Amino acid sequence: MTRIFLYFLCISVFLFSCKKEDTANTIEIQKALKEKELVFNALDKAWNFQERRLTPESEIIALSWNEWRLFNNELNQKPKSTISAFKLKTKNLVQKADTLTYTIPVRLQKPQIKVRLSAIVTKVKALNMFLNIDRIPQQRVLGLVTDLNLEVNAFNNQIEEIVRRSQIPMEEGEADLIQKVGGKKESVTPENPAKTPQENVPSFEEIK
């Protein structure tokens, strides 16, 4: 009789322990789901990448750079369902960002452009990494979204600056000096403004 009692006691303790563990697991799962829901709601409010209006010439450059245009299209389409949609979004952004560094148009082949672009790629990859861990650090993620927005705007400003500087007339003798420093002289016809020396050769300020 004692053995039977001990047997049932052990079974009862085991079942109680299992039930207690299941309850604890359920609470943890619900807590994790609630956290992800909070992160999604916060991201939904923060994910607002406003497209900056560029000057006509800068816009032509931006739109003709297919990889940059696709990246911006992906960035401006905000996920609308769950945190998983944001994970997929950042994964797609990483793939598109990786193509940017080796498709930069010739006119934008400037050190400052490459630095800005590197910052954008870094932010996108960090955002993707933090969204794919079990306990998503909400404030860190929101900070990266804000930083990414700033970096994209700064990048567009850099495009505008390059175009603006290319339109500044050269001073007398500046073209000759640039040709000497560059070691070659381009032959440019007035009928083809897309190949003017101002657009293809760095300014005197850049050389300094």
Side-chain angles (χ1 to χ4, degrees):
M1 189 72 177
T2 304
R3 290 182 178 179
I4 295 175
F5 175 75
L6 290 174
Y7 173 76
F8 279 108
L9 180 61
C10 291
I11 292 295
S12 298
V13 171
F14 175 74
L15 292 175
F16 177 76
S17 299
C18 289
K19 185 176 181 180
K20 187 176 181 181
E21 185 177 346
D22 289 342
T23 301
N25 288 338
T26 301
I27 292 173
E28 284 298 316
I29 291 172
Q30 291 175 345
K31 184 178 179 180
L33 290 174
K34 184 64 176 177
E35 287 179 352
K36 289 182 178 180
E37 182 182 353
L38 292 174
V39 173
F40 171 80
N41 291 334
L43 271 174
D44 187 55
K45 292 179 181 179
W47 198 280
N48 290 300
F49 292 89
Q50 300 295 329
E51 291 190 68
R52 185 186 184 284
R53 290 189 64 84
L54 301 173
T55 57
E57 188 172 357
S58 298
E59 188 173 12
I60 290 173
I61 294 174
L63 291 177
S64 63
W65 184 4
N66 189 54
E67 289 77 12
W68 175 247
R69 180 173 53 81
L70 292 175
F71 175 82
N72 276 280
N73 289 342
E74 186 72 46
L75 192 65
N76 291 316
Q77 295 171 7
K78 182 168 68 175
K80 299 178 180 180
S81 53
T82 64
I83 194 67
S84 295
F86 276 104
K87 291 180 181 181
L88 179 60
K89 170 66 63 178
T90 55
K91 178 182 178 181
N92 291 338
L93 283 172
V94 168
Q95 292 174 345
K96 288 179 170 56
D98 280 337
T99 67
L100 295 174
T101 53
Y102 56 86
T103 60
I104 302 173
V106 173
R107 190 171 178 183
L108 299 180
Q109 290 280 354
K110 309 286 184 181
Q112 56 268 40
I113 282 289
K114 294 177 181 180
V115 169
R116 292 290 185 189
L117 197 55
S118 177
I120 290 174
V121 173
T122 299
K123 300 296 182 186
V124 169
K125 290 185 175 181
L127 186 58
N128 181 61
M129 180 186 70
F130 284 117
L131 280 176
N132 282 281
I133 58 180
D134 292 335
R135 304 294 289 270
I136 299 173
Q138 179 176 321
Q139 294 306 316
R140 188 69 180 272
V141 165
L142 294 180
L144 284 168
V145 171
T146 300
D147 290 346
L148 180 57
N149 207 339
L150 292 174
E151 292 294 349
V152 170
N153 285 331
F155 187 82
N156 284 320
N157 289 338
Q158 195 67 68
I159 293 177
E160 292 277 30
E161 177 66 12
I162 289 173
V163 171
R164 184 190 68 79
R165 291 182 63 128
S166 71
Q167 295 171 340
I168 299 175
M170 290 188 188
E171 296 182 4
E172 184 177 354
E174 184 178 356
D176 292 336
L177 177 60
I178 291 173
Q179 288 165 7
K180 290 178 181 178
V181 172
K184 62 179 181 178
K185 179 177 179 179
E186 290 190 30
S187 176
V188 180
T189 58
E191 291 79 9
N192 191 354
K195 296 184 178 179
T196 57
Q198 291 94 327
E199 295 182 353
N200 290 285
V201 182
S203 70
F204 181 68
E205 290 298 322
E206 289 178 317
I207 293 173
K208 294 196 293 181

